[in-house]
Structure formats: C-alpha cells, structure tokens
Amino acid sequence: MPETDVRELLKAGLHFGHQTRRWNPRMGRYIWGERDGIHIIDLMQTQKLLDDAREFATEVAAKGGTVLFVGTKKQARDGVKEWAERCGMPFVNQRWLGGLLTNFQTISKRIDRLHELIELKEEGQLDLLPTKERMSMEAELEKLTYNLGGVRDMKRLPDAVVVIDIKTETIGLAEAKRLRIPIIALVDSNVDPTPVSHPIPGNDDAIRSCDLVIRSLGEAIETAATNYREAEAKRRAEEEERRRQEEEARRKREETERARKEQDQLEAAQAKAEAAAKAQAAESGAPATPAEAPAPAQRPQAPAEATPPGSAGAEGEGS
C-alpha cells in the first residue's frame, strides 16, 4: 500500500489547527508549534497515523468487515457519501439518529419499514392509495430516507467507524465507544483524541483536508473490499461447482445402485421362473400309479375226439 505524501497533506492544508486559545491540551503531542496564533499540526505524525489507519481499515475490509462512514458536517457530507457508496459501505451524512448502534434492533425495524415503502413505491402501489394515505406514506418514506438512507443495507453492527470531526459526532462517538467498536477519526487541535482508537491529527474544517482523508481511507477500503468480494464470489462458485459434482456423482451412484437392484430382481425372478418350470416338468414326466393286475389268460382246451359215424346210432339201438 503506497504511503501518503507529506507534500499532499501540506497542499490540502491538513496542518492548520485551531486558534491557540481554543486548543485541547491532550492534543499537545500532535502539535508542532504555532504561527500567528494558530496551532500547526505535525504532518510527520499525521502521515504515519494516516498510514496506520489505512492499514487497519484494509485489514477490516479484507476480512469482509463493515466500515461505517460518519460525517454530517457540510465539509464532509459529499465525500462521505461518494466513497462509502464506492466501497459498498454504510454511511451517515445528514443526521445521526440516536440509538443507531446501541439500539440497533429497533433501528433494524425502521430499516425494514423503509425497504417496504421503497418496494411499494417502485411497484406503483402508493399511487393506488387514497390521496391522504399516499401523502402520509410518502412523507414517512422521505423522513426514513433522510435519516436511514445511508444505512439501509447495514444488516449488523459495523466492525469499524470512520468519523470526521468527533466534536460534531459526539453521540455517534459515545455509542461506538460504549460498544467497543474501533474508531478511525480525523481529530483537530480542539478535541480530545482519547476515545479514538486510530486518531489522524489534521484540519477537520476544510473541504480539501476532509476529502483527502476520506479519499485515502476510501481507496484502501475499496481495494480490500473488492478483493474480498471477488475471492468470496470465486469461493462460492467453486463451492457450488463442488456441490453440483457431488450431487451428480450421488445421482449416478443411485442410478447404478437402482439398476443393479433391478438386475438382481430380474435375475431372481428368472431363476424362480426356471425353478417353477423345472418342477412342473418333473411333475408331468413321473410314472403312473400301478393298476390292478390283469386276469391270467385261459389255457386253450383240446379239441374233442371225433365220433365215428354210426356209433351214435348203434348206441341208440342198443339202448
């Protein structure tokens, strides 16, 4: 990651602090000196701390973390919105809604309501309502968009918060500190940098200085977040391909198993049919039950001797 150029910081006027009578003594270690009643911030420390903050923000974004950009003062509004949208991160650039972090469960319900109204408007359902009800819903949509439009895609608490001018964002700073969320902040000579995890000493009243810090952090976050999303998309594609291959292999195994079972059933049916056919054939080819023995054949009688002629007459005559 390229280091920030001190000449670029100097050109943006990041070294100008507030008047010496308005300084905070806890910022003393970041002040180089004074000139014409104005404190001059040490840009060498600013350069090092800005690079440290960029490195930390890169680590958060590289792990898929969420970085919330906060800057409601007019010098930072446009830059906060532009770079948060480029990074795909939530932002607050109009008004910090109390409880946005500490009461996020309730805020989530209002975000759901915002999505509901946006969907009704996009589908043209609001135009079908009576005039009074339609105007009421449009007013509610406008109010929710003003307060929560930048965080409508924030599904959970952020992993880090980038704040421009912690004196203006006292409520947001207190909520992040209470939840122990790391804070990256641009701190001027009139604020207390103690609650800030990664302070960046510099002028928070000039548009150019605010834009420089936001752009420097935004570029680092955008690069890391883009790389993470690409890697995540690639991982999901590989995971889907692996699941598809596993599903295809499982389906092939099931088809093979089903075909094998069908073949086994067919073979078993064929074997059963063959066995039944053999049994039936065996039954039809068995010897008949023994019948009664036939009567013995009569022996042929000898033919009677022929009587001589006249013998019969003689016998009659003799009687």
mmCIF file with all atom_site columns, all heavy atoms in Angstrom, residues 1 3-6 9 14 30 42-56 198-201:
data_model
loop_
_atom_site.group_PDB
_atom_site.id
_atom_site.type_symbol
_atom_site.label_atom_id
_atom_site.label_alt_id
_atom_site.label_comp_id
_atom_site.label_asym_id
_atom_site.label_entity_id
_atom_site.label_seq_id
_atom_site.pdbx_PDB_ins_code
_atom_site.Cartn_x
_atom_site.Cartn_y
_atom_site.Cartn_z
_atom_site.occupancy
_atom_site.B_iso_or_equiv
_atom_site.pdbx_formal_charge
_atom_site.auth_seq_id
_atom_site.auth_comp_id
_atom_site.auth_asym_id
_atom_site.auth_atom_id
_atom_site.pdbx_PDB_model_num
ATOM 1   N N   . MET A 1 1   ? 0.849  -1.178 0.000  1.00 0.00 ? 1   MET A N   1
ATOM 2   C CA  . MET A 1 1   ? 0.000  0.000  0.000  1.00 0.00 ? 1   MET A CA  1
ATOM 3   C C   . MET A 1 1   ? 0.891  1.236  0.000  1.00 0.00 ? 1   MET A C   1
ATOM 4   O O   . MET A 1 1   ? 1.761  1.382  0.860  1.00 0.00 ? 1   MET A O   1
ATOM 5   C CB  . MET A 1 1   ? -0.900 -0.013 1.237  1.00 0.00 ? 1   MET A CB  1
ATOM 6   C CG  . MET A 1 1   ? -1.821 1.179  1.332  1.00 0.00 ? 1   MET A CG  1
ATOM 7   S SD  . MET A 1 1   ? -3.055 0.981  2.657  1.00 0.00 ? 1   MET A SD  1
ATOM 8   C CE  . MET A 1 1   ? -2.122 0.167  3.913  1.00 0.00 ? 1   MET A CE  1
ATOM 9   N N   . GLU A 1 3   ? 2.448  4.856  0.607  1.00 0.00 ? 3   GLU A N   1
ATOM 10  C CA  . GLU A 1 3   ? 2.362  5.778  1.724  1.00 0.00 ? 3   GLU A CA  1
ATOM 11  C C   . GLU A 1 3   ? 1.832  7.127  1.267  1.00 0.00 ? 3   GLU A C   1
ATOM 12  O O   . GLU A 1 3   ? 1.947  7.510  0.104  1.00 0.00 ? 3   GLU A O   1
ATOM 13  C CB  . GLU A 1 3   ? 3.742  5.951  2.368  1.00 0.00 ? 3   GLU A CB  1
ATOM 14  C CG  . GLU A 1 3   ? 4.281  4.682  3.004  1.00 0.00 ? 3   GLU A CG  1
ATOM 15  C CD  . GLU A 1 3   ? 5.611  4.914  3.687  1.00 0.00 ? 3   GLU A CD  1
ATOM 16  O OE1 . GLU A 1 3   ? 6.128  6.050  3.556  1.00 0.00 ? 3   GLU A OE1 1
ATOM 17  O OE2 . GLU A 1 3   ? 6.117  4.004  4.336  1.00 0.00 ? 3   GLU A OE2 1
ATOM 18  N N   . THR A 1 4   ? 1.249  7.852  2.219  1.00 0.00 ? 4   THR A N   1
ATOM 19  C CA  . THR A 1 4   ? 0.728  9.177  1.920  1.00 0.00 ? 4   THR A CA  1
ATOM 20  C C   . THR A 1 4   ? 1.887  10.165 1.815  1.00 0.00 ? 4   THR A C   1
ATOM 21  O O   . THR A 1 4   ? 2.817  10.137 2.619  1.00 0.00 ? 4   THR A O   1
ATOM 22  C CB  . THR A 1 4   ? -0.245 9.622  3.023  1.00 0.00 ? 4   THR A CB  1
ATOM 23  O OG1 . THR A 1 4   ? -1.215 8.598  3.228  1.00 0.00 ? 4   THR A OG1 1
ATOM 24  C CG2 . THR A 1 4   ? -0.944 10.908 2.642  1.00 0.00 ? 4   THR A CG2 1
ATOM 25  N N   . ASP A 1 5   ? 1.815  11.036 0.837  1.00 0.00 ? 5   ASP A N   1
ATOM 26  C CA  . ASP A 1 5   ? 2.863  12.024 0.619  1.00 0.00 ? 5   ASP A CA  1
ATOM 27  C C   . ASP A 1 5   ? 2.619  13.223 1.535  1.00 0.00 ? 5   ASP A C   1
ATOM 28  O O   . ASP A 1 5   ? 1.514  13.776 1.580  1.00 0.00 ? 5   ASP A O   1
ATOM 29  C CB  . ASP A 1 5   ? 2.874  12.461 -0.845 1.00 0.00 ? 5   ASP A CB  1
ATOM 30  C CG  . ASP A 1 5   ? 4.077  13.317 -1.183 1.00 0.00 ? 5   ASP A CG  1
ATOM 31  O OD1 . ASP A 1 5   ? 4.897  13.549 -0.283 1.00 0.00 ? 5   ASP A OD1 1
ATOM 32  O OD2 . ASP A 1 5   ? 4.187  13.757 -2.345 1.00 0.00 ? 5   ASP A OD2 1
ATOM 33  N N   . VAL A 1 6   ? 3.667  13.647 2.253  1.00 0.00 ? 6   VAL A N   1
ATOM 34  C CA  . VAL A 1 6   ? 3.537  14.790 3.159  1.00 0.00 ? 6   VAL A CA  1
ATOM 35  C C   . VAL A 1 6   ? 3.211  16.060 2.386  1.00 0.00 ? 6   VAL A C   1
ATOM 36  O O   . VAL A 1 6   ? 2.451  16.915 2.858  1.00 0.00 ? 6   VAL A O   1
ATOM 37  C CB  . VAL A 1 6   ? 4.838  14.959 3.974  1.00 0.00 ? 6   VAL A CB  1
ATOM 38  C CG1 . VAL A 1 6   ? 4.748  16.197 4.867  1.00 0.00 ? 6   VAL A CG1 1
ATOM 39  C CG2 . VAL A 1 6   ? 5.101  13.734 4.836  1.00 0.00 ? 6   VAL A CG2 1
ATOM 40  N N   . LEU A 1 9   ? -0.400 16.277 1.905  1.00 0.00 ? 9   LEU A N   1
ATOM 41  C CA  . LEU A 1 9   ? -1.061 16.714 3.134  1.00 0.00 ? 9   LEU A CA  1
ATOM 42  C C   . LEU A 1 9   ? -0.903 18.213 3.336  1.00 0.00 ? 9   LEU A C   1
ATOM 43  O O   . LEU A 1 9   ? -1.843 18.908 3.736  1.00 0.00 ? 9   LEU A O   1
ATOM 44  C CB  . LEU A 1 9   ? -0.477 15.962 4.337  1.00 0.00 ? 9   LEU A CB  1
ATOM 45  C CG  . LEU A 1 9   ? -0.573 14.433 4.322  1.00 0.00 ? 9   LEU A CG  1
ATOM 46  C CD1 . LEU A 1 9   ? 0.083  13.853 5.564  1.00 0.00 ? 9   LEU A CD1 1
ATOM 47  C CD2 . LEU A 1 9   ? -2.019 13.973 4.225  1.00 0.00 ? 9   LEU A CD2 1
ATOM 48  N N   . LEU A 1 14  ? -3.817 20.318 5.701  1.00 0.00 ? 14  LEU A N   1
ATOM 49  C CA  . LEU A 1 14  ? -4.124 19.452 6.844  1.00 0.00 ? 14  LEU A CA  1
ATOM 50  C C   . LEU A 1 14  ? -3.363 19.876 8.101  1.00 0.00 ? 14  LEU A C   1
ATOM 51  O O   . LEU A 1 14  ? -3.687 19.425 9.200  1.00 0.00 ? 14  LEU A O   1
ATOM 52  C CB  . LEU A 1 14  ? -3.772 18.001 6.487  1.00 0.00 ? 14  LEU A CB  1
ATOM 53  C CG  . LEU A 1 14  ? -4.625 16.906 7.135  1.00 0.00 ? 14  LEU A CG  1
ATOM 54  C CD1 . LEU A 1 14  ? -6.060 17.014 6.660  1.00 0.00 ? 14  LEU A CD1 1
ATOM 55  C CD2 . LEU A 1 14  ? -4.086 15.525 6.800  1.00 0.00 ? 14  LEU A CD2 1
ATOM 56  N N   . TYR A 1 30  ? 0.536  16.094 19.310 1.00 0.00 ? 30  TYR A N   1
ATOM 57  C CA  . TYR A 1 30  ? 0.428  16.112 17.854 1.00 0.00 ? 30  TYR A CA  1
ATOM 58  C C   . TYR A 1 30  ? 0.685  17.510 17.271 1.00 0.00 ? 30  TYR A C   1
ATOM 59  O O   . TYR A 1 30  ? 0.614  17.664 16.049 1.00 0.00 ? 30  TYR A O   1
ATOM 60  C CB  . TYR A 1 30  ? -0.968 15.652 17.416 1.00 0.00 ? 30  TYR A CB  1
ATOM 61  C CG  . TYR A 1 30  ? -1.343 14.275 17.899 1.00 0.00 ? 30  TYR A CG  1
ATOM 62  C CD1 . TYR A 1 30  ? -2.465 14.082 18.689 1.00 0.00 ? 30  TYR A CD1 1
ATOM 63  C CD2 . TYR A 1 30  ? -0.563 13.161 17.574 1.00 0.00 ? 30  TYR A CD2 1
ATOM 64  C CE1 . TYR A 1 30  ? -2.815 12.818 19.133 1.00 0.00 ? 30  TYR A CE1 1
ATOM 65  C CE2 . TYR A 1 30  ? -0.905 11.895 18.020 1.00 0.00 ? 30  TYR A CE2 1
ATOM 66  C CZ  . TYR A 1 30  ? -2.033 11.732 18.806 1.00 0.00 ? 30  TYR A CZ  1
ATOM 67  O OH  . TYR A 1 30  ? -2.371 10.483 19.258 1.00 0.00 ? 30  TYR A OH  1
ATOM 68  N N   . ASP A 1 42  ? 1.723  18.592 13.463 1.00 0.00 ? 42  ASP A N   1
ATOM 69  C CA  . ASP A 1 42  ? 2.906  17.890 12.959 1.00 0.00 ? 42  ASP A CA  1
ATOM 70  C C   . ASP A 1 42  ? 2.477  16.900 11.868 1.00 0.00 ? 42  ASP A C   1
ATOM 71  O O   . ASP A 1 42  ? 1.888  15.854 12.157 1.00 0.00 ? 42  ASP A O   1
ATOM 72  C CB  . ASP A 1 42  ? 3.591  17.163 14.114 1.00 0.00 ? 42  ASP A CB  1
ATOM 73  C CG  . ASP A 1 42  ? 4.919  16.551 13.698 1.00 0.00 ? 42  ASP A CG  1
ATOM 74  O OD1 . ASP A 1 42  ? 5.294  16.681 12.505 1.00 0.00 ? 42  ASP A OD1 1
ATOM 75  O OD2 . ASP A 1 42  ? 5.592  15.941 14.558 1.00 0.00 ? 42  ASP A OD2 1
ATOM 76  N N   . LEU A 1 43  ? 2.782  17.216 10.612 1.00 0.00 ? 43  LEU A N   1
ATOM 77  C CA  . LEU A 1 43  ? 2.354  16.370 9.494  1.00 0.00 ? 43  LEU A CA  1
ATOM 78  C C   . LEU A 1 43  ? 3.124  15.054 9.413  1.00 0.00 ? 43  LEU A C   1
ATOM 79  O O   . LEU A 1 43  ? 2.640  14.107 8.789  1.00 0.00 ? 43  LEU A O   1
ATOM 80  C CB  . LEU A 1 43  ? 2.489  17.133 8.182  1.00 0.00 ? 43  LEU A CB  1
ATOM 81  C CG  . LEU A 1 43  ? 1.507  18.292 7.985  1.00 0.00 ? 43  LEU A CG  1
ATOM 82  C CD1 . LEU A 1 43  ? 1.683  18.903 6.604  1.00 0.00 ? 43  LEU A CD1 1
ATOM 83  C CD2 . LEU A 1 43  ? 0.075  17.831 8.179  1.00 0.00 ? 43  LEU A CD2 1
ATOM 84  N N   . MET A 1 44  ? 4.294  14.984 10.021 1.00 0.00 ? 44  MET A N   1
ATOM 85  C CA  . MET A 1 44  ? 5.019  13.717 10.023 1.00 0.00 ? 44  MET A CA  1
ATOM 86  C C   . MET A 1 44  ? 4.250  12.677 10.837 1.00 0.00 ? 44  MET A C   1
ATOM 87  O O   . MET A 1 44  ? 4.140  11.511 10.431 1.00 0.00 ? 44  MET A O   1
ATOM 88  C CB  . MET A 1 44  ? 6.418  13.916 10.594 1.00 0.00 ? 44  MET A CB  1
ATOM 89  C CG  . MET A 1 44  ? 7.291  14.869 9.789  1.00 0.00 ? 44  MET A CG  1
ATOM 90  S SD  . MET A 1 44  ? 7.506  14.322 8.069  1.00 0.00 ? 44  MET A SD  1
ATOM 91  C CE  . MET A 1 44  ? 8.410  12.816 8.292  1.00 0.00 ? 44  MET A CE  1
ATOM 92  N N   . GLN A 1 45  ? 3.706  13.111 11.963 1.00 0.00 ? 45  GLN A N   1
ATOM 93  C CA  . GLN A 1 45  ? 2.872  12.194 12.748 1.00 0.00 ? 45  GLN A CA  1
ATOM 94  C C   . GLN A 1 45  ? 1.558  11.902 12.024 1.00 0.00 ? 45  GLN A C   1
ATOM 95  O O   . GLN A 1 45  ? 1.056  10.770 12.066 1.00 0.00 ? 45  GLN A O   1
ATOM 96  C CB  . GLN A 1 45  ? 2.582  12.802 14.125 1.00 0.00 ? 45  GLN A CB  1
ATOM 97  C CG  . GLN A 1 45  ? 3.804  12.968 15.008 1.00 0.00 ? 45  GLN A CG  1
ATOM 98  C CD  . GLN A 1 45  ? 3.419  13.311 16.431 1.00 0.00 ? 45  GLN A CD  1
ATOM 99  O OE1 . GLN A 1 45  ? 2.682  12.569 17.081 1.00 0.00 ? 45  GLN A OE1 1
ATOM 100 N NE2 . GLN A 1 45  ? 3.916  14.446 16.926 1.00 0.00 ? 45  GLN A NE2 1
ATOM 101 N N   . THR A 1 46  ? 1.019  12.933 11.375 1.00 0.00 ? 46  THR A N   1
ATOM 102 C CA  . THR A 1 46  ? -0.216 12.729 10.626 1.00 0.00 ? 46  THR A CA  1
ATOM 103 C C   . THR A 1 46  ? -0.027 11.687 9.532  1.00 0.00 ? 46  THR A C   1
ATOM 104 O O   . THR A 1 46  ? -0.884 10.812 9.331  1.00 0.00 ? 46  THR A O   1
ATOM 105 C CB  . THR A 1 46  ? -0.691 14.057 10.004 1.00 0.00 ? 46  THR A CB  1
ATOM 106 O OG1 . THR A 1 46  ? -0.903 15.012 11.047 1.00 0.00 ? 46  THR A OG1 1
ATOM 107 C CG2 . THR A 1 46  ? -1.972 13.863 9.224  1.00 0.00 ? 46  THR A CG2 1
ATOM 108 N N   . GLN A 1 47  ? 1.090  11.775 8.834  1.00 0.00 ? 47  GLN A N   1
ATOM 109 C CA  . GLN A 1 47  ? 1.372  10.813 7.765  1.00 0.00 ? 47  GLN A CA  1
ATOM 110 C C   . GLN A 1 47  ? 1.446  9.393  8.317  1.00 0.00 ? 47  GLN A C   1
ATOM 111 O O   . GLN A 1 47  ? 0.834  8.463  7.774  1.00 0.00 ? 47  GLN A O   1
ATOM 112 C CB  . GLN A 1 47  ? 2.681  11.179 7.076  1.00 0.00 ? 47  GLN A CB  1
ATOM 113 C CG  . GLN A 1 47  ? 3.066  10.199 5.969  1.00 0.00 ? 47  GLN A CG  1
ATOM 114 C CD  . GLN A 1 47  ? 4.494  10.410 5.498  1.00 0.00 ? 47  GLN A CD  1
ATOM 115 O OE1 . GLN A 1 47  ? 5.323  10.943 6.242  1.00 0.00 ? 47  GLN A OE1 1
ATOM 116 N NE2 . GLN A 1 47  ? 4.788  9.997  4.274  1.00 0.00 ? 47  GLN A NE2 1
ATOM 117 N N   . LYS A 1 48  ? 2.187  9.214  9.407  1.00 0.00 ? 48  LYS A N   1
ATOM 118 C CA  . LYS A 1 48  ? 2.334  7.877  9.988  1.00 0.00 ? 48  LYS A CA  1
ATOM 119 C C   . LYS A 1 48  ? 1.000  7.341  10.506 1.00 0.00 ? 48  LYS A C   1
ATOM 120 O O   . LYS A 1 48  ? 0.647  6.177  10.255 1.00 0.00 ? 48  LYS A O   1
ATOM 121 C CB  . LYS A 1 48  ? 3.347  7.922  11.132 1.00 0.00 ? 48  LYS A CB  1
ATOM 122 C CG  . LYS A 1 48  ? 3.588  6.566  11.799 1.00 0.00 ? 48  LYS A CG  1
ATOM 123 C CD  . LYS A 1 48  ? 4.590  6.685  12.919 1.00 0.00 ? 48  LYS A CD  1
ATOM 124 C CE  . LYS A 1 48  ? 4.832  5.312  13.552 1.00 0.00 ? 48  LYS A CE  1
ATOM 125 N NZ  . LYS A 1 48  ? 3.589  4.692  14.069 1.00 0.00 ? 48  LYS A NZ  1
ATOM 126 N N   . LEU A 1 49  ? 0.248  8.171  11.213 1.00 0.00 ? 49  LEU A N   1
ATOM 127 C CA  . LEU A 1 49  ? -1.024 7.713  11.780 1.00 0.00 ? 49  LEU A CA  1
ATOM 128 C C   . LEU A 1 49  ? -2.061 7.460  10.686 1.00 0.00 ? 49  LEU A C   1
ATOM 129 O O   . LEU A 1 49  ? -2.888 6.549  10.814 1.00 0.00 ? 49  LEU A O   1
ATOM 130 C CB  . LEU A 1 49  ? -1.541 8.748  12.775 1.00 0.00 ? 49  LEU A CB  1
ATOM 131 C CG  . LEU A 1 49  ? -0.697 8.888  14.053 1.00 0.00 ? 49  LEU A CG  1
ATOM 132 C CD1 . LEU A 1 49  ? -1.182 10.063 14.891 1.00 0.00 ? 49  LEU A CD1 1
ATOM 133 C CD2 . LEU A 1 49  ? -0.739 7.603  14.871 1.00 0.00 ? 49  LEU A CD2 1
ATOM 134 N N   . LEU A 1 50  ? -2.018 8.244  9.605  1.00 0.00 ? 50  LEU A N   1
ATOM 135 C CA  . LEU A 1 50  ? -2.937 8.002  8.493  1.00 0.00 ? 50  LEU A CA  1
ATOM 136 C C   . LEU A 1 50  ? -2.628 6.671  7.825  1.00 0.00 ? 50  LEU A C   1
ATOM 137 O O   . LEU A 1 50  ? -3.548 5.912  7.477  1.00 0.00 ? 50  LEU A O   1
ATOM 138 C CB  . LEU A 1 50  ? -2.850 9.144  7.485  1.00 0.00 ? 50  LEU A CB  1
ATOM 139 C CG  . LEU A 1 50  ? -3.740 9.035  6.242  1.00 0.00 ? 50  LEU A CG  1
ATOM 140 C CD1 . LEU A 1 50  ? -5.206 8.888  6.628  1.00 0.00 ? 50  LEU A CD1 1
ATOM 141 C CD2 . LEU A 1 50  ? -3.548 10.243 5.341  1.00 0.00 ? 50  LEU A CD2 1
ATOM 142 N N   . ASP A 1 51  ? -1.345 6.374  7.646  1.00 0.00 ? 51  ASP A N   1
ATOM 143 C CA  . ASP A 1 51  ? -0.973 5.081  7.062  1.00 0.00 ? 51  ASP A CA  1
ATOM 144 C C   . ASP A 1 51  ? -1.377 3.933  7.979  1.00 0.00 ? 51  ASP A C   1
ATOM 145 O O   . ASP A 1 51  ? -1.828 2.878  7.502  1.00 0.00 ? 51  ASP A O   1
ATOM 146 C CB  . ASP A 1 51  ? 0.532  5.048  6.793  1.00 0.00 ? 51  ASP A CB  1
ATOM 147 C CG  . ASP A 1 51  ? 0.948  5.969  5.660  1.00 0.00 ? 51  ASP A CG  1
ATOM 148 O OD1 . ASP A 1 51  ? 0.080  6.298  4.829  1.00 0.00 ? 51  ASP A OD1 1
ATOM 149 O OD2 . ASP A 1 51  ? 2.122  6.373  5.609  1.00 0.00 ? 51  ASP A OD2 1
ATOM 150 N N   . ASP A 1 52  ? -1.228 4.114  9.299  1.00 0.00 ? 52  ASP A N   1
ATOM 151 C CA  . ASP A 1 52  ? -1.653 3.077  10.249 1.00 0.00 ? 52  ASP A CA  1
ATOM 152 C C   . ASP A 1 52  ? -3.169 2.865  10.180 1.00 0.00 ? 52  ASP A C   1
ATOM 153 O O   . ASP A 1 52  ? -3.655 1.718  10.220 1.00 0.00 ? 52  ASP A O   1
ATOM 154 C CB  . ASP A 1 52  ? -1.249 3.462  11.673 1.00 0.00 ? 52  ASP A CB  1
ATOM 155 C CG  . ASP A 1 52  ? 0.261  3.445  11.873 1.00 0.00 ? 52  ASP A CG  1
ATOM 156 O OD1 . ASP A 1 52  ? 0.962  2.858  11.023 1.00 0.00 ? 52  ASP A OD1 1
ATOM 157 O OD2 . ASP A 1 52  ? 0.737  4.046  12.863 1.00 0.00 ? 52  ASP A OD2 1
ATOM 158 N N   . ALA A 1 53  ? -3.907 3.962  10.072 1.00 0.00 ? 53  ALA A N   1
ATOM 159 C CA  . ALA A 1 53  ? -5.365 3.852  9.983  1.00 0.00 ? 53  ALA A CA  1
ATOM 160 C C   . ALA A 1 53  ? -5.779 3.163  8.687  1.00 0.00 ? 53  ALA A C   1
ATOM 161 O O   . ALA A 1 53  ? -6.704 2.346  8.673  1.00 0.00 ? 53  ALA A O   1
ATOM 162 C CB  . ALA A 1 53  ? -5.988 5.251  10.068 1.00 0.00 ? 53  ALA A CB  1
ATOM 163 N N   . ARG A 1 54  ? -5.083 3.483  7.596  1.00 0.00 ? 54  ARG A N   1
ATOM 164 C CA  . ARG A 1 54  ? -5.389 2.817  6.319  1.00 0.00 ? 54  ARG A CA  1
ATOM 165 C C   . ARG A 1 54  ? -5.109 1.323  6.403  1.00 0.00 ? 54  ARG A C   1
ATOM 166 O O   . ARG A 1 54  ? -5.881 0.499  5.897  1.00 0.00 ? 54  ARG A O   1
ATOM 167 C CB  . ARG A 1 54  ? -4.545 3.436  5.207  1.00 0.00 ? 54  ARG A CB  1
ATOM 168 C CG  . ARG A 1 54  ? -4.904 4.855  4.847  1.00 0.00 ? 54  ARG A CG  1
ATOM 169 C CD  . ARG A 1 54  ? -4.013 5.368  3.752  1.00 0.00 ? 54  ARG A CD  1
ATOM 170 N NE  . ARG A 1 54  ? -4.180 4.605  2.520  1.00 0.00 ? 54  ARG A NE  1
ATOM 171 C CZ  . ARG A 1 54  ? -3.387 4.706  1.469  1.00 0.00 ? 54  ARG A CZ  1
ATOM 172 N NH1 . ARG A 1 54  ? -2.343 5.518  1.501  1.00 0.00 ? 54  ARG A NH1 1
ATOM 173 N NH2 . ARG A 1 54  ? -3.625 3.995  0.388  1.00 0.00 ? 54  ARG A NH2 1
ATOM 174 N N   . GLU A 1 55  ? -4.016 0.973  7.057  1.00 0.00 ? 55  GLU A N   1
ATOM 175 C CA  . GLU A 1 55  ? -3.685 -0.451 7.204  1.00 0.00 ? 55  GLU A CA  1
ATOM 176 C C   . GLU A 1 55  ? -4.736 -1.173 8.029  1.00 0.00 ? 55  GLU A C   1
ATOM 177 O O   . GLU A 1 55  ? -5.156 -2.290 7.681  1.00 0.00 ? 55  GLU A O   1
ATOM 178 C CB  . GLU A 1 55  ? -2.313 -0.584 7.860  1.00 0.00 ? 55  GLU A CB  1
ATOM 179 C CG  . GLU A 1 55  ? -1.826 -2.016 7.974  1.00 0.00 ? 55  GLU A CG  1
ATOM 180 C CD  . GLU A 1 55  ? -0.425 -2.110 8.565  1.00 0.00 ? 55  GLU A CD  1
ATOM 181 O OE1 . GLU A 1 55  ? 0.191  -1.053 8.800  1.00 0.00 ? 55  GLU A OE1 1
ATOM 182 O OE2 . GLU A 1 55  ? 0.034  -3.249 8.791  1.00 0.00 ? 55  GLU A OE2 1
ATOM 183 N N   . PHE A 1 56  ? -5.184 -0.540 9.111  1.00 0.00 ? 56  PHE A N   1
ATOM 184 C CA  . PHE A 1 56  ? -6.215 -1.163 9.939  1.00 0.00 ? 56  PHE A CA  1
ATOM 185 C C   . PHE A 1 56  ? -7.522 -1.304 9.161  1.00 0.00 ? 56  PHE A C   1
ATOM 186 O O   . PHE A 1 56  ? -8.184 -2.348 9.204  1.00 0.00 ? 56  PHE A O   1
ATOM 187 C CB  . PHE A 1 56  ? -6.442 -0.325 11.201 1.00 0.00 ? 56  PHE A CB  1
ATOM 188 C CG  . PHE A 1 56  ? -7.622 -0.768 12.014 1.00 0.00 ? 56  PHE A CG  1
ATOM 189 C CD1 . PHE A 1 56  ? -7.561 -1.923 12.779 1.00 0.00 ? 56  PHE A CD1 1
ATOM 190 C CD2 . PHE A 1 56  ? -8.812 -0.045 12.008 1.00 0.00 ? 56  PHE A CD2 1
ATOM 191 C CE1 . PHE A 1 56  ? -8.651 -2.349 13.524 1.00 0.00 ? 56  PHE A CE1 1
ATOM 192 C CE2 . PHE A 1 56  ? -9.905 -0.460 12.740 1.00 0.00 ? 56  PHE A CE2 1
ATOM 193 C CZ  . PHE A 1 56  ? -9.822 -1.613 13.505 1.00 0.00 ? 56  PHE A CZ  1
ATOM 194 N N   . HIS A 1 198 ? -7.833 5.028  16.436 1.00 0.00 ? 198 HIS A N   1
ATOM 195 C CA  . HIS A 1 198 ? -6.841 5.379  15.419 1.00 0.00 ? 198 HIS A CA  1
ATOM 196 C C   . HIS A 1 198 ? -7.028 6.843  15.032 1.00 0.00 ? 198 HIS A C   1
ATOM 197 O O   . HIS A 1 198 ? -7.698 7.159  14.047 1.00 0.00 ? 198 HIS A O   1
ATOM 198 C CB  . HIS A 1 198 ? -6.995 4.481  14.192 1.00 0.00 ? 198 HIS A CB  1
ATOM 199 C CG  . HIS A 1 198 ? -6.822 3.022  14.486 1.00 0.00 ? 198 HIS A CG  1
ATOM 200 N ND1 . HIS A 1 198 ? -5.589 2.405  14.487 1.00 0.00 ? 198 HIS A ND1 1
ATOM 201 C CD2 . HIS A 1 198 ? -7.721 2.063  14.809 1.00 0.00 ? 198 HIS A CD2 1
ATOM 202 C CE1 . HIS A 1 198 ? -5.735 1.132  14.787 1.00 0.00 ? 198 HIS A CE1 1
ATOM 203 N NE2 . HIS A 1 198 ? -7.015 0.899  14.992 1.00 0.00 ? 198 HIS A NE2 1
ATOM 204 N N   . PRO A 1 199 ? -6.425 7.759  15.820 1.00 0.00 ? 199 PRO A N   1
ATOM 205 C CA  . PRO A 1 199 ? -6.581 9.186  15.515 1.00 0.00 ? 199 PRO A CA  1
ATOM 206 C C   . PRO A 1 199 ? -5.713 9.612  14.336 1.00 0.00 ? 199 PRO A C   1
ATOM 207 O O   . PRO A 1 199 ? -4.620 9.087  14.125 1.00 0.00 ? 199 PRO A O   1
ATOM 208 C CB  . PRO A 1 199 ? -6.134 9.865  16.804 1.00 0.00 ? 199 PRO A CB  1
ATOM 209 C CG  . PRO A 1 199 ? -5.161 8.901  17.413 1.00 0.00 ? 199 PRO A CG  1
ATOM 210 C CD  . PRO A 1 199 ? -5.630 7.523  17.033 1.00 0.00 ? 199 PRO A CD  1
ATOM 211 N N   . ILE A 1 200 ? -6.232 10.571 13.568 1.00 0.00 ? 200 ILE A N   1
ATOM 212 C CA  . ILE A 1 200 ? -5.489 11.160 12.453 1.00 0.00 ? 200 ILE A CA  1
ATOM 213 C C   . ILE A 1 200 ? -5.476 12.667 12.689 1.00 0.00 ? 200 ILE A C   1
ATOM 214 O O   . ILE A 1 200 ? -6.469 13.360 12.409 1.00 0.00 ? 200 ILE A O   1
ATOM 215 C CB  . ILE A 1 200 ? -6.156 10.846 11.100 1.00 0.00 ? 200 ILE A CB  1
ATOM 216 C CG1 . ILE A 1 200 ? -6.300 9.335  10.923 1.00 0.00 ? 200 ILE A CG1 1
ATOM 217 C CG2 . ILE A 1 200 ? -5.351 11.445 9.954  1.00 0.00 ? 200 ILE A CG2 1
ATOM 218 C CD1 . ILE A 1 200 ? -7.106 8.942  9.699  1.00 0.00 ? 200 ILE A CD1 1
ATOM 219 N N   . PRO A 1 201 ? -4.400 13.219 13.234 1.00 0.00 ? 201 PRO A N   1
ATOM 220 C CA  . PRO A 1 201 ? -4.363 14.662 13.510 1.00 0.00 ? 201 PRO A CA  1
ATOM 221 C C   . PRO A 1 201 ? -4.429 15.465 12.216 1.00 0.00 ? 201 PRO A C   1
ATOM 222 O O   . PRO A 1 201 ? -3.718 15.174 11.252 1.00 0.00 ? 201 PRO A O   1
ATOM 223 C CB  . PRO A 1 201 ? -3.010 14.856 14.201 1.00 0.00 ? 201 PRO A CB  1
ATOM 224 C CG  . PRO A 1 201 ? -2.544 13.496 14.580 1.00 0.00 ? 201 PRO A CG  1
ATOM 225 C CD  . PRO A 1 201 ? -3.160 12.544 13.615 1.00 0.00 ? 201 PRO A CD  1
#
